[in-house]
Amino acid sequence: MNSYINSVLSDLNAKYGHEKEYIQSVTEVLGSLDKLIESEPKYKKFKILERIVIPERVIMFKVPWIDDKGEIQINIGYRVQFNSAIGPYKGGLRFHPSVNLGILKFLGFEQIFKNSLTTLPLGGAKGGSDFDPKGKSAREVMGFCQNFMRELYRHIGAHVDVPAGDIGVGSREIGYLFGQYKSIVNSYDSVLTGKGINWGGSKIRPEATGYGCVYFASEMLKTRKIDLVGKRVLISGAGNVAQYAAQKAIQLGATVLSLSDSNGSIIDHDGITLEKLEMIKELKNVRRGRIEEYASMVPNVEFHRDCRPWQLIPCDIALPCATQNELDLADAEALVKNGCIAVCEGANMPTTLDATAFFQKNGILFAPGKASNAGGVATSGLEMSQNAIRLNWHSAEVDSRLQSIMVNIHDAARKAAAEFGEPDNYVMGANIAGFRKVADAMIDLGI
Ligand code: NDP
């Protein structure tokens, strides 16, 4: 690895080695910039690497709230405003017990390059809390969201920072957050995306990340003249991204064999149909149940407790859509052995670094999340545009914009990778294409 990159990584490791996921994501990005850094001395001269790896601002705050028993509960809230060189900060809020500063720094860092790839003028950020919405009543979730926003509102704004949803933050939570923001500032600002369709949301935003991931997979397959029709697809997760990745894959003629949640995976040997998927949406989004229940609702379905789908059944395509580091080297070896030809990340950094290297070494088409799941933030950008012009576009219009954004991201990543001699290396291509625009803007804007 280039000595400049090496020295930035070792400094960062010395200071933040305990923030494992943050170090992992920086290592992945910087590790793929070797050839660019060698060919463009300006990035070293302006100390871009040292500057881009540190957030512009980190906000941490306590969130006290009262549970249904009348007990006071306290959680920690965060907003990591990572980089605003090309636009206002933008990135989701995650509510999950595993949330800590290191996780949010990894997600915020990834978001910089993802947002840059969308071609929209959006900076990178991420936020959230260690609050767990699972098992809480709607009243408790509302109380938490209101108290979270009581602090966050002073740090965000339509031209400052526009959060969205992520794990544990869906349209219900966005509603409570937006309601509180609006009542504090007395202004209907476009300050959150993922809003409900009747109060400023965009058509296709709920679908966008999952649909976009499948559009990206389909573009990758086209480079090898392969069609999605009839392909066996394994998907992990059963939340927003997984549900709509499954929906689009089924619509395009693929057979979806699995979904999962934090308790385990289901394998549906007959394939999940659109009708069965509606049952899953009702189970997960309305009743907030466990994916395990699907096995007792539908014949020929197995539930595998505490297992991820990757080693359970052969597939052609894998779409990890749950969480970070959910596909490791042993999973990658099993996938390749069983004939998998493409892996397209719907989640953020679901594949470990050694698993990614294994896929690349074995000629598997591999799309990093910052490219293949960028459809969500891109459509959030389209939601902001619609709010700004006070118009709502039809589903078909938003979907067609989403499709062309995903094709552009695919082509930009491929082109950048080809420029440096490795056209199939989407990791290198996405990182170079995303990095260049932000780094050049940082130079233009001065110190
Ligand atoms: P949801 O909360 O809707 O769903 C998350 C799913 O992943 C659930 O099935 C959940 O299971 C499972 N999951 C979460 N954490 C774990 C864990 N530690 N181990 C095993 N399973 C887990 O989130 P989203 O679908 O919105 O997000 C999924 C991924 O996609 C995340 O990495 C997110 O950052 C990324 N992403 C999301 C975007 C969006 O627009 N929503 C945009 C871009 C990326 P359970 O129900 O048991 O909690």
Side-chain angles (χ1 to χ4, degrees):
M1 200 184 292
N2 172 288
S3 62
Y4 171 42
I5 295 177
N6 249 330
S7 89
V8 174
L9 280 176
S10 66
D11 279 359
L12 211 65
N13 246 305
K15 282 189 193 142
Y16 304 107
H18 57 286
E19 294 177 345
K20 196 167 62 65
E21 293 83 3
Y22 166 54
I23 295 293
Q24 182 183 341
S25 64
V26 175
T27 305
E28 187 245 293
V29 173
L30 269 49
S32 67
L33 297 179
D34 251 5
K35 291 180 179 169
L36 177 72
I37 296 295
E38 296 280 352
S39 72
E40 299 273 9
K42 65 182 175 183
Y43 297 130
K44 183 172 180 198
K45 178 176 170 215
F46 286 98
K47 299 209 170 175
I48 291 299
L49 296 188
E50 293 90 327
R51 290 161 59 197
I52 209 165
V53 298
I54 303 293
E56 289 172 8
R57 190 174 301 106
V58 172
I59 299 144
M60 255 176 93
F61 49 98
K62 74 176 169 201
V63 187
W65 57 281
I66 296 174
D67 69 17
D68 285 347
K69 294 187 199 117
E71 292 271 330
I72 298 170
Q73 302 288 342
I74 296 138
N75 287 97
I76 306 295
Y78 304 85
R79 187 72 181 160
V80 178
Q81 296 179 331
F82 221 117
N83 191 297
S84 60
I86 62 167
Y89 304 108
K90 179 101 194 87
L93 296 171
R94 176 176 291 191
F95 292 168
H96 193 271
S98 64
V99 164
N100 58 41
L101 188 54
I103 297 262
L104 295 177
K105 280 169 71 180
F106 125 59
L107 290 164
F109 185 69
E110 288 281 303
Q111 197 80 42
I112 303 171
F113 309 104
K114 180 190 309 196
N115 292 2
S116 165
L117 282 170
T118 64
T119 72
L120 301 172
L122 302 169
K126 202 81 187 187
S129 173
D130 57 357
F131 172 77
D132 187 0
K134 229 180 283 166
K136 305 286 189 306
S137 71
R139 206 205 64 82
E140 288 175 322
V141 171
M142 180 169 71
F144 172 79
C145 289
Q146 290 175 338
N147 286 303
F148 182 87
M149 186 52 85
R150 206 168 49 173
E151 174 57 33
L152 187 69
Y153 87 92
R154 66 188 93 241
H155 307 290
I156 61 176
H159 302 288
V160 180
D161 184 355
V162 184
D166 189 78
I167 291 178
V169 180
S171 63
R172 173 182 68 168
E173 289 75 18
I174 293 289
Y176 296 146
L177 292 163
F178 185 60
Q180 176 74 329
Y181 175 87
K182 192 170 71 59
S183 76
I184 295 172
V185 303
N186 193 29
S187 179
Y188 217 100
D189 302 335
S190 180
V191 78
L192 288 164
T193 57
K195 298 190 288 298
I197 207 71
N198 294 327
W199 39 277
S202 173
K203 301 257 172 55
I204 305 294
R205 176 61 189 90
E207 293 87 345
T209 308
Y211 277 20
C213 178
V214 175
Y215 293 148
F216 196 99
S218 163
E219 287 306 300
M220 281 203 306
L221 291 172
K222 272 189 209 158
T223 67
R224 296 196 182 164
K225 304 199 176 356
I226 301 172
D227 200 276
L228 258 180
V229 176
K231 296 291 169 302
R232 296 160 305 167
V233 179
L234 291 182
I235 299 181
S236 62
N240 173 269
V241 180
Q243 289 172 16
Y244 287 106
Q247 183 160 309
K248 186 49 72 181
I250 298 166
Q251 285 170 350
L252 296 182
T255 303
V256 175
L257 295 170
S258 75
L259 287 173
S260 69
D261 65 18
S262 46
N263 293 117
S265 302
I266 56 104
I267 299 292
D268 186 335
H269 291 280
D270 298 332
I272 299 170
T273 58
L274 291 175
E275 292 72 30
K276 292 183 199 171
L277 190 61
E278 287 310 308
M279 289 163 55
I280 292 170
K281 287 185 194 165
E282 207 268 336
L283 168 67
K284 294 302 286 183
N285 309 348
V286 182
R287 288 197 281 126
R288 297 186 186 268
R290 313 306 302 151
I291 199 67
E292 179 176 6
E293 293 171 49
Y294 178 74
S296 57
M297 293 154 68
V298 173
N300 217 6
V301 176
E302 292 157 12
F303 175 68
H304 297 260
R305 185 167 306 283
D306 296 329
C307 282
R308 304 180 291 222
W310 319 125
Q311 302 192 32
L312 297 176
I313 189 171
C315 72
D316 303 300
I317 295 161
L319 305 178
C321 295
T323 192
Q324 63 273 0
N325 292 330
E326 50 151 330
L327 195 166
D328 63 17
L329 183 57
D331 296 323
E333 286 169 348
L335 283 167
V336 172
K337 187 164 155 249
N338 285 335
C340 177
I341 51 173
V343 178
C344 194
E345 295 186 331
N348 284 310
M349 206 172 73
T351 313
T352 59
L353 289 175
D354 51 2
T356 303
F358 185 80
F359 286 137
Q360 291 180 320
K361 210 171 95 201
N362 284 278
I364 305 299
L365 289 166
F366 176 82
K370 67 171 72 68
S372 47
N373 73 29
V377 71
T379 309
S380 278
L382 300 179
E383 181 174 330
M384 290 160 71
S385 306
Q386 292 168 79
N387 293 162
I389 56 173
R390 302 208 180 283
L391 283 176
N392 294 321
W393 296 329
H394 296 297
S395 297
E397 168 149 19
V398 181
D399 196 20
S400 111
R401 286 177 191 260
L402 168 64
Q403 285 186 51
S404 64
I405 289 172
M406 295 316 296
V407 171
N408 287 341
I409 294 174
H410 172 272
D411 294 352
R414 219 178 149 78
K415 189 166 160 225
E419 185 186 333
F420 291 95
E422 300 179 42
D424 274 349
N425 189 341
Y426 288 91
V427 174
M428 182 174 96
N431 286 336
I432 289 179
F435 171 87
R436 246 184 193 156
K437 184 168 150 195
V438 178
D440 290 348
M442 287 168 71
I443 294 172
D444 291 345
L445 298 180
I447 306 292

